[in-house]
Amino acid sequence: MEDTLKDQGARARLVRELQQEGITDAAVLHAFATVPRHFFVPEFLRDHAYGGNALPIACGQTISQPFTVAYQSQLLEVRPKQKILEIGTGSGFQAAVLHAMGAHVYSVERQYDLYKEAEARFQRLRIRVAHKHGDGYLGWREFAPYDRILVTCAAPVVPEALLRQLKIGGALLVPLGEEEQRMTRIVRSGEDSFERSEYGSFQFVPMLRNKTSHVKK
Ligand code: SAH
């Protein structure tokens, strides 16, 4: 696949749309102007890559709609060199956006096939993101604590392990709920104190429990 003038034009148009929808963080807009989203969708959906919708990827999952990715990235208040844990690598697009914003990204995906596909994309696009196949409810202890944690699937409850892997002063962003989710930001203000705020309703694919797929190759 190539990055054609047409793709670049579609990307510039998407950036303008995101601005109209209220995305103001310059680093987020810059990331959307540079990350080639069409590399992260199935080939047959290439022409829809820069449209406003969520799109299907492998394993019955979705790449979130551009606005949702941009909105989460903005709410996260990403600064260069921050250590960010993402739960739900999926296509790898959100991780690539955070990377383009200058963060050190760690991402966990429970579906083995998606993990492998994302790996191929990161290599091909030379995006340095640490990622693993595992259960996001457990976070990624080895590299904790994190400045930011971003959950990109719908969690029924706040996973305890993620709260413990947050730096003091750090923030966790998680869509909370079953059918519809409230975008919830939790700031760890002290060892055992957390402050919660909510930002609108969204619909994500569910965060699934304890059933990582084990396809070994
Ligand atoms: N951030 C992704 C969005 C993918 S959708 C992107 O930019 O494309 C959410 C992803 O969360 C799916 O890939 C799904 O397989 C994954 N997921 C669901 N439950 C999970 C869990 N317990 N641990 C890790 N990943 C999980």
Side-chain angles (χ1 to χ4, degrees), residues 85-88 108-110 132-144 146 149 151 158-166 207-212:
L85 174 66
E86 179 197 24
I87 304 304
V108 180
E109 170 57 55
R110 71 184 279 283
K132 74 163 183 173
H133 175 222
D135 181 6
Y137 277 96
L138 307 175
W140 195 345
R141 260 182 49 198
E142 200 181 341
F143 298 105
Y146 301 94
I149 300 179
V151 181
V158 182
E160 264 300 311
L162 300 186
L163 292 176
R164 285 199 303 276
Q165 292 176 20
L166 207 52
M207 181 169 185
L208 300 167
R209 274 186 188 281
N210 303 333
K211 271 200 282 169
T212 43

PDB file of all heavy atoms in Angstrom, residues 85-88 108-110 132-144 146 149 151 158-166 207-212:
ATOM      1  N   LEU A  85       0.073   3.682  28.717  1.00  0.00           N
ATOM      2  CA  LEU A  85      -0.400   2.308  28.516  1.00  0.00           C
ATOM      3  C   LEU A  85      -1.755   2.352  27.828  1.00  0.00           C
ATOM      4  O   LEU A  85      -2.660   3.041  28.286  1.00  0.00           O
ATOM      5  CB  LEU A  85      -0.529   1.603  29.879  1.00  0.00           C
ATOM      6  CG  LEU A  85      -1.154   0.209  29.856  1.00  0.00           C
ATOM      7  CD1 LEU A  85      -0.266  -0.783  29.106  1.00  0.00           C
ATOM      8  CD2 LEU A  85      -1.402  -0.300  31.289  1.00  0.00           C
ATOM      9  N   GLU A  86      -1.858   1.627  26.711  1.00  0.00           N
ATOM     10  CA  GLU A  86      -3.147   1.514  26.029  1.00  0.00           C
ATOM     11  C   GLU A  86      -3.692   0.099  26.197  1.00  0.00           C
ATOM     12  O   GLU A  86      -2.958  -0.870  26.003  1.00  0.00           O
ATOM     13  CB  GLU A  86      -2.996   1.796  24.526  1.00  0.00           C
ATOM     14  CG  GLU A  86      -4.334   1.658  23.790  1.00  0.00           C
ATOM     15  CD  GLU A  86      -4.228   1.526  22.275  1.00  0.00           C
ATOM     16  OE1 GLU A  86      -3.167   1.096  21.787  1.00  0.00           O
ATOM     17  OE2 GLU A  86      -5.192   1.812  21.580  1.00  0.00           O
ATOM     18  N   ILE A  87      -4.967  -0.021  26.526  1.00  0.00           N
ATOM     19  CA  ILE A  87      -5.601  -1.343  26.597  1.00  0.00           C
ATOM     20  C   ILE A  87      -6.494  -1.497  25.358  1.00  0.00           C
ATOM     21  O   ILE A  87      -7.413  -0.715  25.155  1.00  0.00           O
ATOM     22  CB  ILE A  87      -6.435  -1.505  27.887  1.00  0.00           C
ATOM     23  CG1 ILE A  87      -5.585  -1.238  29.141  1.00  0.00           C
ATOM     24  CG2 ILE A  87      -7.070  -2.898  27.925  1.00  0.00           C
ATOM     25  CD1 ILE A  87      -4.337  -2.093  29.279  1.00  0.00           C
ATOM     26  N   GLY A  88      -6.180  -2.506  24.537  1.00  0.00           N
ATOM     27  CA  GLY A  88      -6.921  -2.761  23.287  1.00  0.00           C
ATOM     28  C   GLY A  88      -6.194  -2.167  22.096  1.00  0.00           C
ATOM     29  O   GLY A  88      -6.600  -1.163  21.537  1.00  0.00           O
ATOM     30  N   VAL A 108      -1.618  -3.280  25.023  1.00  0.00           N
ATOM     31  CA  VAL A 108      -1.953  -4.688  25.292  1.00  0.00           C
ATOM     32  C   VAL A 108      -3.209  -5.072  24.494  1.00  0.00           C
ATOM     33  O   VAL A 108      -4.195  -4.345  24.507  1.00  0.00           O
ATOM     34  CB  VAL A 108      -2.241  -4.903  26.805  1.00  0.00           C
ATOM     35  CG1 VAL A 108      -2.585  -6.362  27.093  1.00  0.00           C
ATOM     36  CG2 VAL A 108      -1.057  -4.466  27.651  1.00  0.00           C
ATOM     37  N   GLU A 109      -3.166  -6.222  23.835  1.00  0.00           N
ATOM     38  CA  GLU A 109      -4.306  -6.722  23.046  1.00  0.00           C
ATOM     39  C   GLU A 109      -4.542  -8.187  23.381  1.00  0.00           C
ATOM     40  O   GLU A 109      -3.618  -8.981  23.394  1.00  0.00           O
ATOM     41  CB  GLU A 109      -4.010  -6.563  21.548  1.00  0.00           C
ATOM     42  CG  GLU A 109      -4.986  -7.236  20.598  1.00  0.00           C
ATOM     43  CD  GLU A 109      -6.438  -6.787  20.787  1.00  0.00           C
ATOM     44  OE1 GLU A 109      -6.700  -5.574  20.729  1.00  0.00           O
ATOM     45  OE2 GLU A 109      -7.288  -7.669  21.000  1.00  0.00           O
ATOM     46  N   ARG A 110      -5.811  -8.540  23.630  1.00  0.00           N
ATOM     47  CA  ARG A 110      -6.089  -9.924  24.029  1.00  0.00           C
ATOM     48  C   ARG A 110      -6.266 -10.882  22.852  1.00  0.00           C
ATOM     49  O   ARG A 110      -6.202 -12.098  23.023  1.00  0.00           O
ATOM     50  CB  ARG A 110      -7.315  -9.990  24.930  1.00  0.00           C
ATOM     51  CG  ARG A 110      -8.607  -9.717  24.224  1.00  0.00           C
ATOM     52  CD  ARG A 110      -9.759  -9.715  25.201  1.00  0.00           C
ATOM     53  NE  ARG A 110     -10.221 -11.056  25.534  1.00  0.00           N
ATOM     54  CZ  ARG A 110     -10.975 -11.800  24.750  1.00  0.00           C
ATOM     55  NH1 ARG A 110     -11.349 -11.366  23.577  1.00  0.00           N
ATOM     56  NH2 ARG A 110     -11.366 -12.988  25.135  1.00  0.00           N
ATOM     57  N   LYS A 132       2.013  -6.082  23.510  1.00  0.00           N
ATOM     58  CA  LYS A 132       2.012  -7.507  23.837  1.00  0.00           C
ATOM     59  C   LYS A 132       0.618  -8.098  23.758  1.00  0.00           C
ATOM     60  O   LYS A 132      -0.383  -7.381  23.771  1.00  0.00           O
ATOM     61  CB  LYS A 132       2.612  -7.743  25.217  1.00  0.00           C
ATOM     62  CG  LYS A 132       1.722  -7.333  26.372  1.00  0.00           C
ATOM     63  CD  LYS A 132       2.229  -7.985  27.656  1.00  0.00           C
ATOM     64  CE  LYS A 132       1.336  -7.667  28.833  1.00  0.00           C
ATOM     65  NZ  LYS A 132       1.706  -8.402  30.036  1.00  0.00           N
ATOM     66  N   HIS A 133       0.618  -9.426  23.683  1.00  0.00           N
ATOM     67  CA  HIS A 133      -0.622 -10.188  23.688  1.00  0.00           C
ATOM     68  C   HIS A 133      -0.922 -10.519  25.146  1.00  0.00           C
ATOM     69  O   HIS A 133      -0.117 -11.186  25.796  1.00  0.00           O
ATOM     70  CB  HIS A 133      -0.405 -11.473  22.866  1.00  0.00           C
ATOM     71  CG  HIS A 133      -1.569 -12.403  22.891  1.00  0.00           C
ATOM     72  ND1 HIS A 133      -1.434 -13.768  23.026  1.00  0.00           N
ATOM     73  CD2 HIS A 133      -2.883 -12.162  22.794  1.00  0.00           C
ATOM     74  CE1 HIS A 133      -2.635 -14.327  23.005  1.00  0.00           C
ATOM     75  NE2 HIS A 133      -3.528 -13.368  22.867  1.00  0.00           N
ATOM     76  N   GLY A 134      -2.042 -10.034  25.678  1.00  0.00           N
ATOM     77  CA  GLY A 134      -2.338 -10.324  27.075  1.00  0.00           C
ATOM     78  C   GLY A 134      -3.678  -9.757  27.480  1.00  0.00           C
ATOM     79  O   GLY A 134      -4.400  -9.190  26.655  1.00  0.00           O
ATOM     80  N   ASP A 135      -3.991  -9.914  28.762  1.00  0.00           N
ATOM     81  CA  ASP A 135      -5.279  -9.450  29.282  1.00  0.00           C
ATOM     82  C   ASP A 135      -5.147  -8.050  29.877  1.00  0.00           C
ATOM     83  O   ASP A 135      -4.445  -7.862  30.869  1.00  0.00           O
ATOM     84  CB  ASP A 135      -5.774 -10.446  30.338  1.00  0.00           C
ATOM     85  CG  ASP A 135      -7.118 -10.032  30.911  1.00  0.00           C
ATOM     86  OD1 ASP A 135      -7.708  -9.043  30.419  1.00  0.00           O
ATOM     87  OD2 ASP A 135      -7.575 -10.694  31.860  1.00  0.00           O
ATOM     88  N   GLY A 136      -5.848  -7.120  29.282  1.00  0.00           N
ATOM     89  CA  GLY A 136      -5.772  -5.728  29.714  1.00  0.00           C
ATOM     90  C   GLY A 136      -6.244  -5.475  31.136  1.00  0.00           C
ATOM     91  O   GLY A 136      -5.877  -4.466  31.740  1.00  0.00           O
ATOM     92  N   TYR A 137      -7.062  -6.380  31.689  1.00  0.00           N
ATOM     93  CA  TYR A 137      -7.491  -6.192  33.080  1.00  0.00           C
ATOM     94  C   TYR A 137      -6.290  -6.215  34.017  1.00  0.00           C
ATOM     95  O   TYR A 137      -6.352  -5.681  35.113  1.00  0.00           O
ATOM     96  CB  TYR A 137      -8.486  -7.286  33.497  1.00  0.00           C
ATOM     97  CG  TYR A 137      -9.903  -6.985  33.062  1.00  0.00           C
ATOM     98  CD1 TYR A 137     -10.417  -7.513  31.881  1.00  0.00           C
ATOM     99  CD2 TYR A 137     -10.714  -6.141  33.817  1.00  0.00           C
ATOM    100  CE1 TYR A 137     -11.709  -7.226  31.469  1.00  0.00           C
ATOM    101  CE2 TYR A 137     -12.011  -5.842  33.414  1.00  0.00           C
ATOM    102  CZ  TYR A 137     -12.498  -6.383  32.248  1.00  0.00           C
ATOM    103  OH  TYR A 137     -13.772  -6.078  31.845  1.00  0.00           O
ATOM    104  N   LEU A 138      -5.211  -6.847  33.550  1.00  0.00           N
ATOM    105  CA  LEU A 138      -4.005  -6.946  34.386  1.00  0.00           C
ATOM    106  C   LEU A 138      -3.026  -5.815  34.117  1.00  0.00           C
ATOM    107  O   LEU A 138      -2.022  -5.671  34.809  1.00  0.00           O
ATOM    108  CB  LEU A 138      -3.309  -8.298  34.148  1.00  0.00           C
ATOM    109  CG  LEU A 138      -4.192  -9.537  34.300  1.00  0.00           C
ATOM    110  CD1 LEU A 138      -3.414 -10.799  33.912  1.00  0.00           C
ATOM    111  CD2 LEU A 138      -4.689  -9.634  35.747  1.00  0.00           C
ATOM    112  N   GLY A 139      -3.293  -5.011  33.096  1.00  0.00           N
ATOM    113  CA  GLY A 139      -2.364  -3.942  32.726  1.00  0.00           C
ATOM    114  C   GLY A 139      -1.064  -4.517  32.194  1.00  0.00           C
ATOM    115  O   GLY A 139      -1.058  -5.581  31.553  1.00  0.00           O
ATOM    116  N   TRP A 140       0.045  -3.806  32.455  1.00  0.00           N
ATOM    117  CA  TRP A 140       1.377  -4.310  32.044  1.00  0.00           C
ATOM    118  C   TRP A 140       2.342  -3.880  33.136  1.00  0.00           C
ATOM    119  O   TRP A 140       2.925  -2.799  33.072  1.00  0.00           O
ATOM    120  CB  TRP A 140       1.755  -3.727  30.683  1.00  0.00           C
ATOM    121  CG  TRP A 140       2.901  -4.423  30.013  1.00  0.00           C
ATOM    122  CD1 TRP A 140       3.791  -5.288  30.582  1.00  0.00           C
ATOM    123  CD2 TRP A 140       3.286  -4.305  28.627  1.00  0.00           C
ATOM    124  NE1 TRP A 140       4.693  -5.731  29.654  1.00  0.00           N
ATOM    125  CE2 TRP A 140       4.403  -5.145  28.444  1.00  0.00           C
ATOM    126  CE3 TRP A 140       2.798  -3.573  27.547  1.00  0.00           C
ATOM    127  CZ2 TRP A 140       5.061  -5.263  27.213  1.00  0.00           C
ATOM    128  CZ3 TRP A 140       3.442  -3.690  26.329  1.00  0.00           C
ATOM    129  CH2 TRP A 140       4.555  -4.528  26.148  1.00  0.00           C
ATOM    130  N   ARG A 141       2.462  -4.738  34.152  1.00  0.00           N
ATOM    131  CA  ARG A 141       3.185  -4.383  35.376  1.00  0.00           C
ATOM    132  C   ARG A 141       4.647  -4.052  35.172  1.00  0.00           C
ATOM    133  O   ARG A 141       5.203  -3.183  35.826  1.00  0.00           O
ATOM    134  CB  ARG A 141       3.071  -5.531  36.379  1.00  0.00           C
ATOM    135  CG  ARG A 141       2.001  -5.200  37.391  1.00  0.00           C
ATOM    136  CD  ARG A 141       1.807  -6.206  38.478  1.00  0.00           C
ATOM    137  NE  ARG A 141       3.023  -6.642  39.156  1.00  0.00           N
ATOM    138  CZ  ARG A 141       3.072  -7.756  39.871  1.00  0.00           C
ATOM    139  NH1 ARG A 141       2.025  -8.509  40.000  1.00  0.00           N
ATOM    140  NH2 ARG A 141       4.196  -8.120  40.462  1.00  0.00           N
ATOM    141  N   GLU A 142       5.252  -4.782  34.253  1.00  0.00           N
ATOM    142  CA  GLU A 142       6.689  -4.659  34.020  1.00  0.00           C
ATOM    143  C   GLU A 142       7.140  -3.207  33.804  1.00  0.00           C
ATOM    144  O   GLU A 142       8.217  -2.820  34.232  1.00  0.00           O
ATOM    145  CB  GLU A 142       6.996  -5.478  32.774  1.00  0.00           C
ATOM    146  CG  GLU A 142       8.415  -5.863  32.621  1.00  0.00           C
ATOM    147  CD  GLU A 142       8.588  -6.653  31.320  1.00  0.00           C
ATOM    148  OE1 GLU A 142       7.582  -7.173  30.783  1.00  0.00           O
ATOM    149  OE2 GLU A 142       9.742  -6.720  30.870  1.00  0.00           O
ATOM    150  N   PHE A 143       6.336  -2.409  33.121  1.00  0.00           N
ATOM    151  CA  PHE A 143       6.751  -1.041  32.777  1.00  0.00           C
ATOM    152  C   PHE A 143       6.035   0.030  33.605  1.00  0.00           C
ATOM    153  O   PHE A 143       6.214   1.214  33.365  1.00  0.00           O
ATOM    154  CB  PHE A 143       6.545  -0.787  31.283  1.00  0.00           C
ATOM    155  CG  PHE A 143       7.384  -1.691  30.431  1.00  0.00           C
ATOM    156  CD1 PHE A 143       6.813  -2.759  29.761  1.00  0.00           C
ATOM    157  CD2 PHE A 143       8.755  -1.482  30.327  1.00  0.00           C
ATOM    158  CE1 PHE A 143       7.589  -3.615  29.001  1.00  0.00           C
ATOM    159  CE2 PHE A 143       9.542  -2.331  29.563  1.00  0.00           C
ATOM    160  CZ  PHE A 143       8.962  -3.406  28.896  1.00  0.00           C
ATOM    161  N   ALA A 144       5.217  -0.395  34.559  1.00  0.00           N
ATOM    162  CA  ALA A 144       4.490   0.566  35.406  1.00  0.00           C
ATOM    163  C   ALA A 144       5.493   1.315  36.302  1.00  0.00           C
ATOM    164  O   ALA A 144       6.585   0.780  36.576  1.00  0.00           O
ATOM    165  CB  ALA A 144       3.465  -0.180  36.246  1.00  0.00           C
ATOM    166  N   TYR A 146       2.634   4.372  34.938  1.00  0.00           N
ATOM    167  CA  TYR A 146       2.397   5.132  33.708  1.00  0.00           C
ATOM    168  C   TYR A 146       1.860   6.536  34.020  1.00  0.00           C
ATOM    169  O   TYR A 146       1.134   6.728  34.992  1.00  0.00           O
ATOM    170  CB  TYR A 146       1.372   4.394  32.833  1.00  0.00           C
ATOM    171  CG  TYR A 146       1.838   3.003  32.453  1.00  0.00           C
ATOM    172  CD1 TYR A 146       1.470   1.901  33.213  1.00  0.00           C
ATOM    173  CD2 TYR A 146       2.688   2.807  31.364  1.00  0.00           C
ATOM    174  CE1 TYR A 146       1.928   0.625  32.893  1.00  0.00           C
ATOM    175  CE2 TYR A 146       3.140   1.540  31.035  1.00  0.00           C
ATOM    176  CZ  TYR A 146       2.758   0.449  31.799  1.00  0.00           C
ATOM    177  OH  TYR A 146       3.212  -0.803  31.485  1.00  0.00           O
ATOM    178  N   ILE A 149      -3.098   6.170  31.234  1.00  0.00           N
ATOM    179  CA  ILE A 149      -3.588   4.860  30.789  1.00  0.00           C
ATOM    180  C   ILE A 149      -4.883   5.114  30.017  1.00  0.00           C
ATOM    181  O   ILE A 149      -5.754   5.854  30.475  1.00  0.00           O
ATOM    182  CB  ILE A 149      -3.832   3.895  31.972  1.00  0.00           C
ATOM    183  CG1 ILE A 149      -2.512   3.665  32.748  1.00  0.00           C
ATOM    184  CG2 ILE A 149      -4.401   2.564  31.468  1.00  0.00           C
ATOM    185  CD1 ILE A 149      -2.626   2.734  33.959  1.00  0.00           C
ATOM    186  N   VAL A 151      -8.010   3.208  28.014  1.00  0.00           N
ATOM    187  CA  VAL A 151      -8.726   1.967  27.701  1.00  0.00           C
ATOM    188  C   VAL A 151      -9.588   2.240  26.474  1.00  0.00           C
ATOM    189  O   VAL A 151     -10.360   3.194  26.456  1.00  0.00           O
ATOM    190  CB  VAL A 151      -9.598   1.516  28.898  1.00  0.00           C
ATOM    191  CG1 VAL A 151     -10.321   0.212  28.571  1.00  0.00           C
ATOM    192  CG2 VAL A 151      -8.746   1.356  30.155  1.00  0.00           C
ATOM    193  N   VAL A 158     -14.020  -0.283  36.710  1.00  0.00           N
ATOM    194  CA  VAL A 158     -12.645   0.192  36.551  1.00  0.00           C
ATOM    195  C   VAL A 158     -11.697  -0.930  36.987  1.00  0.00           C
ATOM    196  O   VAL A 158     -11.760  -1.387  38.121  1.00  0.00           O
ATOM    197  CB  VAL A 158     -12.381   1.438  37.433  1.00  0.00           C
ATOM    198  CG1 VAL A 158     -10.959   1.940  37.221  1.00  0.00           C
ATOM    199  CG2 VAL A 158     -13.399   2.522  37.136  1.00  0.00           C
ATOM    200  N   PRO A 159     -10.840  -1.408  36.082  1.00  0.00           N
ATOM    201  CA  PRO A 159      -9.929  -2.483  36.478  1.00  0.00           C
ATOM    202  C   PRO A 159      -8.940  -2.002  37.552  1.00  0.00           C
ATOM    203  O   PRO A 159      -8.223  -1.031  37.350  1.00  0.00           O
ATOM    204  CB  PRO A 159      -9.202  -2.830  35.172  1.00  0.00           C
ATOM    205  CG  PRO A 159     -10.115  -2.326  34.082  1.00  0.00           C
ATOM    206  CD  PRO A 159     -10.735  -1.086  34.653  1.00  0.00           C
ATOM    207  N   GLU A 160      -8.949  -2.693  38.699  1.00  0.00           N
ATOM    208  CA  GLU A 160      -8.108  -2.336  39.848  1.00  0.00           C
ATOM    209  C   GLU A 160      -6.640  -2.215  39.492  1.00  0.00           C
ATOM    210  O   GLU A 160      -5.948  -1.279  39.904  1.00  0.00           O
ATOM    211  CB  GLU A 160      -8.235  -3.435  40.924  1.00  0.00           C
ATOM    212  CG  GLU A 160      -9.229  -3.151  42.015  1.00  0.00           C
ATOM    213  CD  GLU A 160      -8.899  -1.890  42.800  1.00  0.00           C
ATOM    214  OE1 GLU A 160      -7.745  -1.694  43.253  1.00  0.00           O
ATOM    215  OE2 GLU A 160      -9.830  -1.071  42.932  1.00  0.00           O
ATOM    216  N   ALA A 161      -6.155  -3.190  38.720  1.00  0.00           N
ATOM    217  CA  ALA A 161      -4.725  -3.234  38.392  1.00  0.00           C
ATOM    218  C   ALA A 161      -4.296  -1.954  37.672  1.00  0.00           C
ATOM    219  O   ALA A 161      -3.185  -1.469  37.860  1.00  0.00           O
ATOM    220  CB  ALA A 161      -4.417  -4.457  37.535  1.00  0.00           C
ATOM    221  N   LEU A 162      -5.207  -1.408  36.856  1.00  0.00           N
ATOM    222  CA  LEU A 162      -4.850  -0.206  36.097  1.00  0.00           C
ATOM    223  C   LEU A 162      -4.681   0.978  37.042  1.00  0.00           C
ATOM    224  O   LEU A 162      -3.769   1.790  36.875  1.00  0.00           O
ATOM    225  CB  LEU A 162      -5.902   0.092  35.024  1.00  0.00           C
ATOM    226  CG  LEU A 162      -6.104  -1.007  33.977  1.00  0.00           C
ATOM    227  CD1 LEU A 162      -7.054  -0.523  32.891  1.00  0.00           C
ATOM    228  CD2 LEU A 162      -4.768  -1.438  33.362  1.00  0.00           C
ATOM    229  N   LEU A 163      -5.536   1.074  38.059  1.00  0.00           N
ATOM    230  CA  LEU A 163      -5.408   2.169  39.034  1.00  0.00           C
ATOM    231  C   LEU A 163      -4.060   2.069  39.740  1.00  0.00           C
ATOM    232  O   LEU A 163      -3.387   3.072  39.958  1.00  0.00           O
ATOM    233  CB  LEU A 163      -6.551   2.114  40.059  1.00  0.00           C
ATOM    234  CG  LEU A 163      -7.953   2.429  39.529  1.00  0.00           C
ATOM    235  CD1 LEU A 163      -8.983   2.245  40.635  1.00  0.00           C
ATOM    236  CD2 LEU A 163      -8.021   3.847  38.970  1.00  0.00           C
ATOM    237  N   ARG A 164      -3.665   0.858  40.067  1.00  0.00           N
ATOM    238  CA  ARG A 164      -2.398   0.671  40.792  1.00  0.00           C
ATOM    239  C   ARG A 164      -1.187   0.960  39.915  1.00  0.00           C
ATOM    240  O   ARG A 164      -0.107   1.234  40.416  1.00  0.00           O
ATOM    241  CB  ARG A 164      -2.313  -0.757  41.342  1.00  0.00           C
ATOM    242  CG  ARG A 164      -3.191  -0.993  42.558  1.00  0.00           C
ATOM    243  CD  ARG A 164      -2.747  -2.229  43.329  1.00  0.00           C
ATOM    244  NE  ARG A 164      -2.747  -3.424  42.479  1.00  0.00           N
ATOM    245  CZ  ARG A 164      -3.833  -4.160  42.256  1.00  0.00           C
ATOM    246  NH1 ARG A 164      -4.980  -3.827  42.804  1.00  0.00           N
ATOM    247  NH2 ARG A 164      -3.766  -5.218  41.483  1.00  0.00           N
ATOM    248  N   GLN A 165      -1.345   0.865  38.588  1.00  0.00           N
ATOM    249  CA  GLN A 165      -0.214   1.076  37.687  1.00  0.00           C
ATOM    250  C   GLN A 165      -0.092   2.525  37.207  1.00  0.00           C
ATOM    251  O   GLN A 165       0.708   2.841  36.333  1.00  0.00           O
ATOM    252  CB  GLN A 165      -0.300   0.111  36.501  1.00  0.00           C
ATOM    253  CG  GLN A 165      -0.079  -1.334  36.956  1.00  0.00           C
ATOM    254  CD  GLN A 165      -0.247  -2.354  35.852  1.00  0.00           C
ATOM    255  OE1 GLN A 165      -0.163  -2.031  34.664  1.00  0.00           O
ATOM    256  NE2 GLN A 165      -0.487  -3.579  36.244  1.00  0.00           N
ATOM    257  N   LEU A 166      -0.909   3.398  37.815  1.00  0.00           N
ATOM    258  CA  LEU A 166      -0.896   4.812  37.455  1.00  0.00           C
ATOM    259  C   LEU A 166       0.063   5.565  38.370  1.00  0.00           C
ATOM    260  O   LEU A 166       0.106   5.325  39.567  1.00  0.00           O
ATOM    261  CB  LEU A 166      -2.330   5.326  37.654  1.00  0.00           C
ATOM    262  CG  LEU A 166      -2.862   6.499  36.874  1.00  0.00           C
ATOM    263  CD1 LEU A 166      -2.652   6.316  35.370  1.00  0.00           C
ATOM    264  CD2 LEU A 166      -4.352   6.659  37.191  1.00  0.00           C
ATOM    265  N   MET A 207     -14.867  -4.767  26.724  1.00  0.00           N
ATOM    266  CA  MET A 207     -13.609  -5.287  27.255  1.00  0.00           C
ATOM    267  C   MET A 207     -13.919  -6.659  27.815  1.00  0.00           C
ATOM    268  O   MET A 207     -14.759  -6.796  28.705  1.00  0.00           O
ATOM    269  CB  MET A 207     -13.107  -4.358  28.356  1.00  0.00           C
ATOM    270  CG  MET A 207     -11.798  -4.789  28.967  1.00  0.00           C
ATOM    271  SD  MET A 207     -11.144  -3.474  30.017  1.00  0.00           S
ATOM    272  CE  MET A 207      -9.566  -4.205  30.456  1.00  0.00           C
ATOM    273  N   LEU A 208     -13.290  -7.670  27.255  1.00  0.00           N
ATOM    274  CA  LEU A 208     -13.630  -9.040  27.622  1.00  0.00           C
ATOM    275  C   LEU A 208     -12.680  -9.560  28.685  1.00  0.00           C
ATOM    276  O   LEU A 208     -11.535  -9.133  28.781  1.00  0.00           O
ATOM    277  CB  LEU A 208     -13.600  -9.933  26.373  1.00  0.00           C
ATOM    278  CG  LEU A 208     -14.594  -9.463  25.301  1.00  0.00           C
ATOM    279  CD1 LEU A 208     -14.325 -10.139  23.974  1.00  0.00           C
ATOM    280  CD2 LEU A 208     -16.027  -9.685  25.753  1.00  0.00           C
ATOM    281  N   ARG A 209     -13.214 -10.469  29.491  1.00  0.00           N
ATOM    282  CA  ARG A 209     -12.460 -10.975  30.629  1.00  0.00           C
ATOM    283  C   ARG A 209     -11.762 -12.303  30.360  1.00  0.00           C
ATOM    284  O   ARG A 209     -12.348 -13.198  29.780  1.00  0.00           O
ATOM    285  CB  ARG A 209     -13.409 -11.226  31.800  1.00  0.00           C
ATOM    286  CG  ARG A 209     -13.644 -10.017  32.634  1.00  0.00           C
ATOM    287  CD  ARG A 209     -14.465 -10.411  33.838  1.00  0.00           C
ATOM    288  NE  ARG A 209     -14.873  -9.226  34.559  1.00  0.00           N
ATOM    289  CZ  ARG A 209     -14.075  -8.559  35.385  1.00  0.00           C
ATOM    290  NH1 ARG A 209     -12.844  -8.982  35.613  1.00  0.00           N
ATOM    291  NH2 ARG A 209     -14.492  -7.480  35.987  1.00  0.00           N
ATOM    292  N   ASN A 210     -10.542 -12.391  30.843  1.00  0.00           N
ATOM    293  CA  ASN A 210      -9.853 -13.676  31.028  1.00  0.00           C
ATOM    294  C   ASN A 210      -9.983 -14.713  29.928  1.00  0.00           C
ATOM    295  O   ASN A 210     -10.052 -15.891  30.201  1.00  0.00           O
ATOM    296  CB  ASN A 210     -10.363 -14.364  32.314  1.00  0.00           C
ATOM    297  CG  ASN A 210     -10.181 -13.467  33.508  1.00  0.00           C
ATOM    298  OD1 ASN A 210      -9.282 -12.617  33.510  1.00  0.00           O
ATOM    299  ND2 ASN A 210     -11.016 -13.637  34.496  1.00  0.00           N
ATOM    300  N   LYS A 211     -10.060 -14.283  28.691  1.00  0.00           N
ATOM    301  CA  LYS A 211     -10.136 -15.298  27.643  1.00  0.00           C
ATOM    302  C   LYS A 211      -9.216 -14.917  26.493  1.00  0.00           C
ATOM    303  O   LYS A 211      -9.656 -14.747  25.378  1.00  0.00           O
ATOM    304  CB  LYS A 211     -11.571 -15.456  27.132  1.00  0.00           C
ATOM    305  CG  LYS A 211     -12.371 -16.470  27.918  1.00  0.00           C
ATOM    306  CD  LYS A 211     -13.554 -16.961  27.137  1.00  0.00           C
ATOM    307  CE  LYS A 211     -14.675 -15.942  27.169  1.00  0.00           C
ATOM    308  NZ  LYS A 211     -15.761 -16.159  26.289  1.00  0.00           N
ATOM    309  N   THR A 212      -7.957 -14.726  26.775  1.00  0.00           N
ATOM    310  CA  THR A 212      -7.047 -14.395  25.686  1.00  0.00           C
ATOM    311  C   THR A 212      -7.019 -15.571  24.719  1.00  0.00           C
ATOM    312  O   THR A 212      -7.036 -16.728  25.123  1.00  0.00           O
ATOM    313  CB  THR A 212      -5.622 -14.128  26.198  1.00  0.00           C
ATOM    314  OG1 THR A 212      -5.316 -15.102  27.170  1.00  0.00           O
ATOM    315  CG2 THR A 212      -5.501 -12.748  26.799  1.00  0.00           C
TER     316      THR A 212
END
